[in-house]
Amino acid sequence: MAAMFQGVGAAAALSSLHSNSFDSKNFLFSPRRSFSVRKAPSFVVVRSDGTMNLDLNPEGRRAQQFIANAVATKEDISAASSSKPGHELLLFEALREGLEEEMERDPRVCVMGEDVGHYGGSYKVTKGLATKFGDLRVLDTPIAENSFTGMGIGAAMTGLRPVVEGMNMGFLLLAFNQISNNCGMLHYTSGGQFTIPIVIRGPGGVGRQLGAEHSQRLESYLLPIPGIQMVACSTPYNAKGLMKAAIRSENPVILFEHVLLYNLKERIPDEDYICNLEEAEMVRPGEHVTILTYSRMRYHVMQAAKTLVNKGYDPEVIDIRSLKPFDLYTIGNSVKKTHRVLIVEECMRTGGIGASLTAAITENFHDYLDAPIICLSSQDVPTPYAGTLEEWTVVQPAQIVAAVEQLCQ
Amino acid sequence: MNGASCAAKISTQPFSLNPTSPTSHDNPLVSPKPTSLFLGSTRKLRLSSSSKLNLHRRSGTVVAVSDVVKQKKSKSTPSLLITKEEGLELYEDMILGRAFEDMCAQMYYRGKMFGFVHLYNGQEAVSTGFIKLLKQQDSVVSTYRDHVHALSKGVPARAVMSELFGKTTGCCRGQGGSMHMFSREHNLLGGFAFIGEGIPVATGAAFTSKYKREVLKEADCDHVTLAFFGDGTCNNGQFFECLNMAALWKLPIVFVVENNLWAIGMSHLRATSDPQIYKKGPAFGMPGIHVDGMDVLKVREVAKEAIGRARRGEGPTLVECETYRFRGHSLADPDELRDPGSHLNPFFSQVQKCHLIQCRAASLAAEKAHYAARDPITALKKYLIENSLASEADLKAIDKKIDEVVEDAVEFADESPVPSRSQLLENVFADPKGFGIGPDGRYRCEDPKFTEGTAHV
């Protein structure tokens, strides 16, 4: 595997938000601000409700004009930070918090992966856990994905609850044998005798010029495997909630994280909570069109939503979160209300999550559709290294706006 | 058969190749903090190897493999390796394996079972020699050639036969089949169709055993895992990756290679650069042992030492059992490549065939005859009778009893019901909420008509 380096997430989030991925005209902060003159280390933070502010530098915070959206998370947008309940943290810290809480709660929960222990995880999700729980509970494995994933499955069959980390989701292609043949199947082929309460997680998706092999979206490759569940987190709130739910689930769950989302900041509750693995998340209720999305594309959609609202549209945005199975109740209710569906995903066009979702919606809710479903996906190309080309492989907010306009004609 | 001194010789020499101290970091009650336990290799990196190199040219024929470990004949009266009870137990287990597999062949050709069925005839000494030393809580992981491993581990013959017939009373409710035998009660962790994919699972089971002892503080947990696999698997990446991890973390596992010299039609010698598999153990820091897999008492002696090592926390062992399968790879395999008289061998041109077949025929015929003469059951029988551990009558009684067991298993399987449609979607998920939420807002699994539907989500 190619060398992974920490901090790539932060840098990537910073630069992508600054330049290409977000249409900077629609943001109310000055693009001329130079980040290099900051004294304290700071980074651009995108809040889970799609708003953005600059961190650690109060003078730089501009008055944001927020579109008055109801948001599914428990955010109070305008209140002062000190009196709000809960605590603020970044997405990777939320994942760690969820993992740590589950490890404290149940001694059978353990972590296996490359550099999860002493190094703290290449994205710092497991930082500090090895010191706290020991080298056996936070196991640094040799570089042998197929075998240590299989080892996790064997451990799960015999009573442990392992969390297997793929340093990058793409590396789990080497574990495909174990994930497909054993992870999904053994509960069935053993006639229900063995359960496999394993969580397989890791960052995937198109990052910031990471090259083709580090920019893969495995959700479409793993989707047809029977016997597994797949969820994708997109905010610190649902990252922690899904991590905890996945660990507690008796089914094998694959948790997809995104390389560019690790530094999202959000205020999350102090109390124990989980996010239901099978449910979708209503991000922004609306009337005109249903936009279904997940993971990083949620932010492109919310970016486009601002433009759309300014143009007079009222989009309903749903983060499907559960990639397998689909929450057809939430999705169906939305389709029945708006009659128009746009799917925005980062998967490639062929055989992606969107393709499957289109089929499911057409089968179940055909009568409610006033227009054909539009599915915006990434191009069917290996992700190029060049920044401009990479930008064109994934869906950008402008395309989302155009698609909604086309749908609502 | 004189196993006593030979087995002792095998066990002392290769084990000393492991330079690490056996009890250096396996005492959980003493180690103060988790982080003080170093989990990894303590071998020093040496630039020049001082180990002896085998400079002998490898012989092309099969006979050389079994000569690697020289047997020293004991001058004194050989002490018996087994008691009468043990002897009869071993005999009964091997007879069960043989009779069961023969019945499988019959049933297959009568259309009672289908698909790929891989029989174990000839290899019984390995299964019996190892598995009869295990406790119920120890785990066994096998391959597609798993019927006899299941029987040796204690899975009832009825359950295995029903599974093969695809009936709902099978050990896996008819959902696994010949290649996927599982038993939670007897800790049989499969049954795997792809070679090599069971080895990591076995490594995981061994990891759990170590975890239970060191993290969960179940100080008396000394469960051992046995991973069985063949010569072909020893060229697969998962084999090497797991040898590394097991040795690195001193997992309580024994890797048992059932080297029957053939991977379907691929001779071990044509597939492997160094066919002496046991030598690959020391490369990873564990002892590698070669044993005559047609001799159940020799296998048992080696197994005792290897399993004992694992139980004491000294780490894994690689045991190569030289054995042979009397039948083809599976019941669908016409076994022509090993058949000296075959004219259908596609690898030879017409011209070559006459010449080469004659030469190969001679050596292949010799190979089959060589191993048929070493039938493990005949050998054990001879040992028992010659050493007055059992009489002919005792053994015949066991033969008869096993015949009845196998007949009963067939009857039971025949009369068992086939799975109904409602069974199709059970067991896909341990938690059926995994099928998701349907358009009506309810979990699909709560819908009483769900079992009539499909599993797509």
Side-chain angles (χ1 to χ4, degrees):
Chain A
M1 318 312 138
M4 294 300 295
F5 49 97
Q6 63 194 98
V8 70
L14 176 69
S15 49
S16 75
L17 291 165
H18 178 55
S19 53
N20 296 316
S21 311
F22 288 84
D23 190 350
S24 55
K25 321 198 271 298
N26 291 319
F27 274 93
L28 301 175
F29 82 103
S30 166
R32 272 171 267 131
R33 182 172 300 280
S34 158
F35 292 99
S36 60
V37 299
R38 296 207 179 290
K39 302 183 199 67
S42 68
F43 30 77
V44 179
V45 159
V46 176
R47 296 168 65 86
S48 62
D49 57 0
T51 61
M52 217 174 79
N53 34 35
L54 301 167
D55 194 35
L56 297 182
N57 194 341
E59 308 91 77
R61 194 170 289 146
R62 300 272 300 257
Q64 300 278 345
Q65 278 179 26
F66 300 125
I67 289 88
N69 307 328
V71 168
T73 56
K74 287 113 185 111
E75 290 301 295
D76 184 4
I77 297 163
S78 52
S81 54
S82 54
S83 61
K84 283 194 273 190
H87 55 288
E88 264 194 338
L89 41 50
L90 306 179
L91 194 144
F92 77 90
E93 292 169 336
L95 287 168
R96 189 200 319 146
E97 209 173 80
L99 183 51
E100 193 172 348
E101 284 175 16
E102 290 305 299
M103 288 179 80
E104 281 167 356
R105 186 174 171 269
D106 186 346
R108 299 169 299 164
V109 179
C110 55
V111 182
M112 299 173 184
E114 294 160 10
D115 273 331
V116 296
H118 293 190
Y119 194 73
S122 57
Y123 289 97
K124 298 297 168 215
V125 173
T126 50
K127 186 174 177 187
L129 297 183
T131 318
K132 181 170 177 181
F133 295 109
D135 280 354
L136 209 55
R137 274 192 88 181
V138 187
L139 187 72
D140 278 324
T141 61
I143 306 173
E145 276 78 6
N146 201 14
S147 292
F148 70 69
T149 305
M151 194 173 94
I153 292 167
M157 285 167 76
T158 45
L160 300 188
R161 304 187 75 92
V163 177
V164 173
E165 172 174 311
M167 192 187 265
N168 184 286
M169 268 300 185
F171 301 171
L172 293 181
L173 286 173
L174 283 103
F176 211 109
N177 180 9
Q178 291 292 338
I179 297 174
S180 172
N181 277 348
N182 289 347
C183 187
M185 287 196 195
L186 291 189
H187 184 71
Y188 193 80
T189 54
S190 67
Q193 292 181 83
F194 290 98
T195 57
I196 306 178
I198 194 174
V199 177
I200 298 175
R201 50 158 291 268
V206 176
R208 187 67 184 158
Q209 297 190 253
L210 299 180
E213 291 179 14
H214 282 86
S215 310
Q216 301 196 64
R217 285 125 282 168
L218 248 62
E219 53 267 25
S220 52
Y221 302 168
L222 300 176
L223 181 63
I225 297 174
I228 59 165
Q229 283 187 250
M230 300 189 341
V231 289
C233 62
S234 52
T235 68
Y237 179 81
N238 64 36
K240 179 175 176 182
L242 290 173
M243 171 73 92
K244 290 171 71 104
I247 292 173
R248 294 186 194 182
S249 172
E250 295 303 310
N251 297 334
V253 179
I254 306 189
L255 171 57
F256 289 90
E257 301 153 15
H258 197 287
V259 281
L260 294 183
L261 300 184
Y262 278 127
N263 287 318
L264 294 181
K265 181 184 268 200
E266 187 179 358
R267 180 168 290 273
I268 65 171
D270 289 327
E271 61 270 11
D272 200 41
Y273 71 91
I274 60 162
C275 288
N276 201 327
L277 290 174
E278 297 88 26
E279 278 177 16
E281 185 179 316
M282 177 67 70
V283 182
R284 180 192 187 283
E287 297 290 325
H288 291 163
V289 60
T290 298
I291 306 183
L292 303 172
T293 183
Y294 68 93
S295 193
R296 180 199 173 199
M297 286 297 119
R298 168 183 172 143
Y299 295 95
H300 282 203
V301 168
M302 292 309 292
Q303 171 73 15
K306 288 191 208 306
T307 314
L308 288 168
V309 166
N310 286 339
K311 290 190 175 191
Y313 294 95
D314 186 21
E316 176 153 294
V317 179
I318 294 176
D319 182 337
I320 62 173
R321 243 167 46 183
S322 176
L323 305 180
K324 180 184 174 121
F326 296 133
D327 177 2
L328 289 183
Y329 181 61
T330 308
I331 294 170
N333 286 349
S334 181
V335 175
K336 290 173 187 174
K337 183 167 60 163
T338 67
H339 311 296
R340 290 176 170 79
V341 178
L342 170 65
I343 300 171
V344 181
E345 57 162 359
E346 204 175 308
C347 263
M348 289 188 254
R349 177 145 200 77
T350 306
I353 301 286
S356 214
L357 192 50
T358 305
I361 295 172
T362 312
E363 269 173 19
N364 286 288
F365 310 114
H366 181 257
D367 284 341
Y368 296 96
L369 291 171
D370 282 349
I373 301 172
I374 295 184
C375 179
L376 297 180
S377 325
S378 295
Q379 300 286 324
D380 280 334
V381 298
T383 311
Y385 165 75
T388 45
L389 293 179
E390 184 185 66
E391 188 194 332
W392 293 323
T393 60
V394 297
V395 179
Q396 299 297 340
Q399 294 165 270
I400 301 171
V401 171
V404 169
E405 287 177 330
Q406 184 190 336
L407 260 181
C408 293
Q409 270 165 2
Chain B
M1 194 194 287
N2 58 344
S5 51
C6 163
K9 180 89 164 97
I10 292 171
S11 56
T12 50
Q13 187 194 1
F15 286 105
S16 62
L17 287 173
N18 187 345
T20 63
S21 153
T23 56
S24 51
H25 31 71
D26 289 296
N27 194 340
L29 301 172
V30 174
S31 68
K33 274 186 271 195
T35 45
S36 65
L37 198 76
F38 178 72
L39 207 58
S41 170
T42 52
R43 299 180 84 190
K44 296 211 179 354
L45 205 59
R46 288 195 302 271
L47 287 176
S48 61
S49 170
S50 57
S51 60
K52 20 188 199 303
L53 297 170
N54 186 350
L55 297 170
H56 299 130
R57 285 209 61 202
R58 207 165 47 237
S59 165
T61 66
V62 165
V63 180
V65 180
S66 62
D67 287 345
V68 169
V69 178
K70 300 285 180 226
Q71 298 174 29
K72 255 201 205 150
K73 292 205 189 307
S74 165
K75 299 280 191 300
S76 59
T77 319
S79 57
L80 293 177
L81 290 165
I82 46 172
T83 64
K84 174 177 181 169
E85 288 75 32
E86 287 167 346
L88 293 178
E89 187 196 6
L90 298 179
Y91 181 79
E92 184 171 328
D93 194 54
M94 291 207 285
I95 286 286
L96 174 61
R98 181 70 59 90
F100 190 93
E101 297 291 71
D102 283 339
M103 183 60 80
C104 282
Q106 265 193 61
M107 292 297 115
Y108 189 86
Y109 295 126
R110 281 200 215 164
K112 297 289 183 74
M113 58 178 84
F114 302 93
F116 293 130
V117 178
H118 308 81
L119 299 182
Y120 201 72
N121 297 47
Q123 300 183 198
E124 294 85 358
V126 181
S127 179
T128 301
F130 268 94
I131 299 180
K132 282 308 172 194
L133 291 170
L134 295 181
K135 304 187 290 201
Q136 178 146 0
Q137 305 95 312
D138 295 321
S139 300
V140 166
V141 175
S142 179
T143 60
Y144 45 71
R145 205 177 298 281
D146 56 353
H147 307 170
V148 178
H149 293 140
L151 295 169
S152 291
K153 193 67 173 62
V155 182
R158 281 182 163 194
V160 183
M161 192 60 84
S162 285
E163 184 62 31
L164 293 168
F165 281 29
K167 301 296 179 79
T168 192
T169 49
C171 55
C172 301
R173 306 180 82 198
Q175 291 166 192
S178 167
M179 299 185 281
H180 303 283
M181 294 288 168
F182 288 82
S183 168
R184 184 170 201 103
E185 185 191 340
H186 299 279
N187 288 298
L188 174 66
L189 270 55
F192 292 92
F194 285 22
I195 60 153
E197 69 179 358
I199 306 177
V201 173
T203 309
F207 179 80
T208 299
S209 175
K210 183 182 171 87
Y211 190 97
K212 280 184 178 163
R213 192 172 50 227
E214 295 182 14
V215 176
L216 301 180
K217 306 295 184 207
E218 294 173 24
D220 56 350
C221 177
D222 60 354
H223 304 159
V224 167
T225 305
L226 300 185
F228 291 92
F229 47 92
D231 44 285
T233 307
C234 295
N235 294 324
N236 187 277
Q238 285 167 109
F239 169 63
F240 298 109
E241 289 173 359
C242 290
L243 285 186
N244 179 44
M245 293 196 292
L248 192 62
W249 300 317
K250 285 188 142 72
L251 300 182
I253 185 171
V254 183
F255 297 100
V256 184
V257 183
E258 294 172 320
N259 184 353
N260 58 23
L261 305 172
W262 292 91
I264 307 187
M266 190 64 165
S267 149
H268 177 56
L269 298 174
R270 289 184 67 222
T272 316
S273 57
D274 185 348
Q276 294 174 309
I277 300 171
Y278 72 97
K279 279 164 52 178
K280 299 181 189 188
F284 289 91
M286 73 178 81
I289 302 157
H290 175 275
V291 68
D292 176 3
M294 306 304 276
D295 180 338
V296 68
L297 297 181
K298 287 185 190 154
V299 171
R300 190 179 155 91
E301 286 307 298
V302 169
K304 264 191 208 163
E305 184 54 41
I307 292 170
R309 245 180 71 82
R311 261 197 231 296
R312 292 189 297 271
E314 292 167 21
T317 313
L318 176 67
V319 180
E320 178 185 356
C321 303
E322 182 200 332
T323 182
Y324 202 72
R325 52 169 166 82
F326 293 156
R327 289 181 176 267
H329 165 73
S330 74
L331 289 173
D333 172 19
D335 198 17
E336 277 156 3
L337 207 57
R338 302 189 315 174
D339 179 351
S342 168
H343 301 293
L344 298 175
N345 189 323
F347 294 103
F348 303 120
S349 71
Q350 283 298 116
V351 174
Q352 289 173 307
K353 261 182 190 166
C354 298
H355 174 66
L356 280 167
I357 278 184
Q358 281 163 27
C359 298
R360 288 186 87 248
S363 75
L364 283 166
E367 178 184 286
K368 279 194 162 174
H370 173 75
Y371 285 101
R374 291 162 59 184
D375 187 328
I377 294 176
T378 319
L380 179 65
K381 190 167 174 177
K382 186 162 173 273
Y383 182 88
L384 291 174
I385 290 180
E386 279 178 2
N387 290 289
S388 306
L389 286 171
S391 65
E392 283 274 3
D394 290 333
L395 301 180
K396 277 210 164 27
I398 290 178
D399 292 348
K400 185 165 181 305
K401 173 183 167 195
I402 290 300
D403 275 342
E404 284 168 13
V405 165
V406 175
E407 294 265 354
D408 167 77
V410 172
E411 236 179 79
F412 176 80
D414 255 337
E415 288 163 11
S416 291
V418 287
S420 63
R421 179 95 170 70
S422 60
Q423 197 182 307
L424 182 64
L425 301 181
E426 295 169 12
N427 309 138
V428 176
F429 288 107
D431 178 0
K433 296 216 301 279
F435 283 114
I437 302 171
D440 62 357
R442 286 196 300 172
Y443 276 98
R444 288 167 198 263
C445 57
E446 290 166 3
D447 181 349
K449 289 177 66 183
F450 174 59
T451 54
E452 299 167 25
T454 64
H456 80 76
V457 296

